[in-house]
Amino acid sequence: MKERRKRNSVVSWNTLFWCTLLVVISSIFFTTLFFSPFDAALSPLPFTSETPPTISQPTITIRETVMLPDQALIFLNYPPSFRFHAKYDLLCLYFSADSTRRRLTQLPIQLHFARLREQIVRCTLPPRGNSVSLFVKSDGVLPAAKDSSTHPWTPLVYEALFDRDNTTIVFVKGLNLRPERFIEPSTLNCIFGWDFSKPKFFLKSDVISGAQEIIRCRTPKSIIIGQEQAQSIKVTIQERDREIFPSIARPGLCPQLSSSMQKAHEICICTMLRNQARFLREWVMYHAKIGVQRWFIYDNNSDDDIENVISFLQSVGYNISQHLWPWVKTQEAGFAHCALRARASCKWVAFIDVDEFFHIRVNGDLSRMILHHAKPGHNVGEIRTLCFSFGPSGRREVPREGVAVGYTCRLSASERHKSIVRPEALNQTLINVVHHFHLSAPFVSVDAEKSKIVINHYKYQVWKVFKEKFYRRVATYVADWQEKENVRSKDRAPGLGTKPVEPPNWANRFCEVRDYGLRNWVLRNFLDRRTHLLPWQPEYENHIRRRPRPKDKTQPFF
């Protein structure tokens, strides 16, 4: 009995073998079933034979195109992993709707880096009846983004900034406001969003002030809270009961003052230029010598290798930055934009051109002149300095020694003035007429004593330089030379007319007073006694390469 029970409680080896084999085969079958690729054609289950959706790879796209009067701006958007293209990687591509016509290509005029992952490509305008795109030599034609548009220059909202008082500054072309004229804020709205064709997806806000091309509006609270992330949002304006202005403006952030409340620079300069690279070294080096510490260069579509000149100046210690400002005839708006950028780091900002030089006629530098005219407690927000216009001074070729030494004969009477301002003193409209700004209370402007400081304006240089001004003017409310408008304006050369043809005896015009004051000061303070060269002369660069670099790299050594 006991023996029978023992036999029944033990599993035979034969049974164990077949059970184990069955488990292994079952495991292989179920592993194959669930973890191997499934062939829908062989499956008894009702699978549909569909092609799975492909995941689109990130690519560079054309975000927007703006057709300026003399060139096309193409805005590129780059995915985070992509490197930026160089000028010779791209071609401007011109084509028409007629597919039988041959496509044309041309190298871009220039490329510029913008904020975020953006790049601006400048192309020549397409021939009549053609459109413009971009061709990447390694990849083919660049695609346009889904919401990409081509905009005419006017009307257009072209720039915007978030200001520190929870307002947004909007720069707009096409309001056609006259100089120094204000607009009634209630006639406009600001609109924030991504798609202005869908009212459900944008926010409206009130306009606080408007003048010339500058609109200030309240920033919606939801955007203030997420301002760092909101920089991809667009802003535009709408006149009451009219269409919304097209916009490419994504607001940037104004630099904020550090917690120390101590500004980094006592004196800065803002300027706007086009193709003035050959004069930039002298202008920067000279003003550094009299106390300027920071330069903001607003480049209005130069194509004369200005980037290399600025890089050189930066490499030897000058605090200078280039900011692309491609917008045609918007100097006043550009200066307002620069004032906002400079406000956080500059106590005083001068607004002058590259052919204008502060001439201090007494001992001391520019800082001393400012202190003399803006004594503490007097609420001085702007110092206006008279300009004296110099002529060709008998020259027929560009003086190699520079303008301050080369041109020494001028008109006897002053023409206009230029200003040094405290950015905090500016009126909230930021209204200006290039030469001066409107101030907010209680700030006042004062005139500089001409016995102490003036501006030498090298306005009428040798003909080959002066005739370049006929291309176009940068100021909004100043007529181009070719236009028969305001022909008696002081912005024009007397008796010159509207054609870039050299008048008789140009070299000896505008010469009423011999003025050697600045020339002599420059020779005393800059001339190298061994080489008899000035530091901005082309020959001087080879000389300085042999000189030891100064120990204090933060200061220029000229």
Side-chain angles (χ1 to χ4, degrees):
M1 189 73 167
K2 289 181 181 178
E3 205 169 289
R4 186 181 301 163
R5 286 176 183 171
K6 188 174 181 181
R7 194 180 299 122
N8 290 340
S9 63
V10 176
V11 179
S12 69
W13 284 105
N14 189 41
T15 303
L16 180 63
F17 170 78
W18 286 109
C19 287
T20 304
L21 182 62
L22 179 63
V23 169
V24 170
I25 293 171
S26 299
S27 299
I28 293 172
F29 173 79
F30 282 105
T31 301
T32 305
L33 178 66
F34 287 104
F35 296 101
S36 296
F38 214 171
D39 189 340
L42 300 177
S43 171
L45 300 176
F47 277 85
T48 57
S49 181
E50 290 183 346
T51 303
T54 57
I55 300 174
S56 59
Q57 296 297 318
T59 184
I60 304 166
T61 55
I62 296 175
R63 181 166 63 80
E64 268 148 341
T65 302
V66 177
M67 307 303 289
L68 296 176
D70 53 1
Q71 58 189 256
L73 301 181
I74 301 177
F75 293 77
L76 298 185
N77 186 53
Y78 282 75
S81 59
F82 279 56
R83 69 170 182 87
F84 283 103
H85 284 302
K87 180 178 178 179
Y88 293 98
D89 295 335
L90 300 172
L91 289 172
C92 299
L93 176 67
Y94 305 102
F95 58 93
S96 70
D98 183 358
S99 59
T100 62
R101 296 180 63 181
R102 192 166 63 92
R103 294 185 174 190
L104 305 174
T105 59
Q106 190 177 62
L107 277 173
I109 300 170
Q110 192 55 275
L111 272 63
H112 303 270
F113 297 111
R115 62 189 180 89
L116 302 176
R117 298 288 300 173
E118 297 177 355
Q119 190 177 46
I120 301 175
V121 183
R122 292 163 46 205
C123 292
T124 303
L125 282 178
R128 184 181 295 275
N130 279 246
S131 300
V132 61
S133 186
L134 287 175
F135 182 87
V136 182
K137 293 178 181 177
S138 58
D139 298 323
V141 181
L142 282 180
K146 288 183 179 179
D147 58 348
S148 177
S149 300
T150 297
H151 303 284
W153 169 220
T154 180
L156 184 69
V157 174
Y158 57 91
E159 291 276 356
L161 283 171
F162 289 127
D163 205 359
R164 61 190 182 188
D165 60 353
N166 295 336
T167 63
T168 302
I169 313 298
V170 181
F171 299 88
V172 55
K173 198 74 175 175
L175 283 174
N176 299 320
L177 299 179
R178 303 309 303 163
E180 299 188 89
R181 296 288 178 86
F182 299 90
I183 191 170
E184 172 54 47
S186 64
T187 63
L188 296 174
N189 279 124
C190 280
I191 300 175
F192 297 79
W194 287 272
D195 186 352
F196 298 128
S197 66
K198 299 177 180 178
K200 291 183 179 180
F201 297 100
F202 61 63
L203 298 170
K204 280 190 176 183
S205 72
D206 294 332
V207 169
I208 298 172
S209 67
Q212 297 180 174
E213 294 188 347
I214 305 169
I215 305 298
R216 184 187 292 268
C217 52
R218 299 190 192 281
T219 307
K221 289 183 179 179
S222 58
I223 293 177
I224 294 171
I225 294 170
Q227 201 171 83
E228 293 284 352
Q229 292 76 31
Q231 290 190 63
S232 62
I233 201 170
K234 281 185 180 182
V235 62
T236 188
I237 64 165
Q238 181 182 25
E239 295 182 277
R240 292 293 168 86
D241 303 322
R242 295 190 180 182
E243 292 184 359
I244 295 173
F245 272 59
S247 173
I248 63 165
R250 290 170 167 80
L253 293 172
C254 279
Q256 298 296 309
L257 184 63
S258 65
S259 57
S260 68
M261 299 299 290
Q262 183 65 39
K263 296 196 176 183
H265 311 297
E266 180 76 15
I267 308 169
C268 305
I269 286 182
C270 282
T271 195
M272 187 176 292
L273 54 77
R274 184 183 182 279
N275 290 345
Q276 299 291 301
R278 57 184 166 182
F279 304 115
L280 199 57
R281 291 190 189 189
E282 177 186 7
W283 185 76
V284 169
M285 293 176 184
Y286 169 79
H287 284 99
K289 194 77 168 180
I290 64 171
V292 175
Q293 299 160 315
R294 174 81 166 89
W295 292 261
F296 297 87
I297 308 296
Y298 274 53
D299 177 16
N300 193 222
N301 295 327
S302 296
D303 53 17
D304 62 347
D305 203 31
I306 189 173
E307 292 84 3
N308 285 337
V309 176
I310 290 176
S311 294
F312 167 78
L313 291 168
Q314 291 169 335
S315 71
V316 294
Y318 295 97
N319 192 345
I320 176 173
S321 60
Q322 180 185 8
H323 178 82
L324 177 66
W325 188 264
W327 318 117
V328 176
K329 293 185 75 64
T330 58
Q331 187 176 22
E332 296 86 345
F335 278 1
H337 190 279
C338 188
L340 291 171
R341 289 183 65 212
R343 183 179 56 193
S345 59
C346 304
K347 186 175 180 181
W348 291 90
V349 183
F351 292 86
I352 61 173
D353 297 331
V354 176
D355 60 355
E356 294 172 335
F357 287 61
F358 283 106
H359 177 199
I360 300 171
R361 292 174 161 178
V362 294
N363 291 331
D365 59 10
L366 196 53
S367 180
R368 184 175 175 182
M369 291 299 101
I370 291 173
L371 183 62
H372 173 77
H373 291 93
K375 295 180 176 62
H378 287 200
N379 291 325
V380 174
E382 180 183 55
I383 302 169
R384 299 180 177 183
T385 308
L386 289 175
C387 300
F388 288 89
S389 297
F390 282 68
S393 307
R395 299 267 186 168
R396 288 176 172 79
E397 296 295 331
V398 177
R400 294 184 65 81
E401 62 272 31
V403 298
V405 172
Y407 301 117
T408 56
C409 201
R410 60 171 174 83
L411 297 174
S412 58
S414 62
E415 289 185 328
R416 300 193 182 279
H417 61 264
K418 291 297 175 73
S419 296
I420 311 172
V421 304
R422 289 181 60 183
E424 287 82 7
L426 302 184
N427 186 282
Q428 71 169 0
T429 63
L430 300 174
I431 191 170
N432 68 88
V433 287
V434 178
H435 312 290
H436 62 263
F437 282 80
H438 286 206
L439 305 180
S440 60
F443 293 101
V444 297
S445 62
V446 297
D447 295 328
E449 299 174 34
K450 67 178 182 180
S451 61
K452 291 183 167 54
I453 182 171
V454 296
I455 287 177
N456 282 15
H457 183 187
Y458 298 101
K459 181 177 180 180
Y460 308 115
Q461 299 187 32
V462 297
W463 180 253
K464 67 169 63 174
V465 172
F466 185 83
K467 73 176 180 180
E468 293 175 4
K469 292 187 177 184
F470 274 88
Y471 180 70
R472 61 174 163 82
R473 316 295 292 280
V474 294
T476 309
Y477 303 105
V478 175
D480 288 345
W481 292 91
Q482 305 98 316
E483 296 176 5
K484 295 181 179 180
E485 182 181 343
N486 297 331
V487 292
R488 298 183 183 276
S489 169
K490 290 182 180 179
D491 292 302
R492 294 179 178 272
L496 186 60
T498 59
K499 296 181 180 179
V501 178
E502 182 175 359
N505 199 31
W506 174 264
N508 296 307
R509 289 193 175 197
F510 317 108
C511 184
E512 296 174 352
V513 177
R514 288 287 176 182
D515 186 340
Y516 297 101
L518 190 56
R519 169 188 177 274
N520 293 339
W521 190 94
V522 166
L523 292 175
R524 285 196 307 270
N525 288 275
F526 284 101
L527 191 68
D528 187 294
R529 303 302 172 188
R530 186 168 64 86
T531 63
H532 299 286
L533 294 172
L534 295 162
W536 44 83
Q537 290 185 254
E539 302 89 345
Y540 193 83
E541 189 169 339
N542 293 329
H543 168 65
I544 65 170
R545 286 175 179 170
R546 297 192 295 268
R547 295 173 61 178
R549 184 175 285 274
K551 293 181 181 179
D552 181 8
K553 296 182 180 181
T554 62
Q555 297 294 325
F557 55 85
F558 293 114

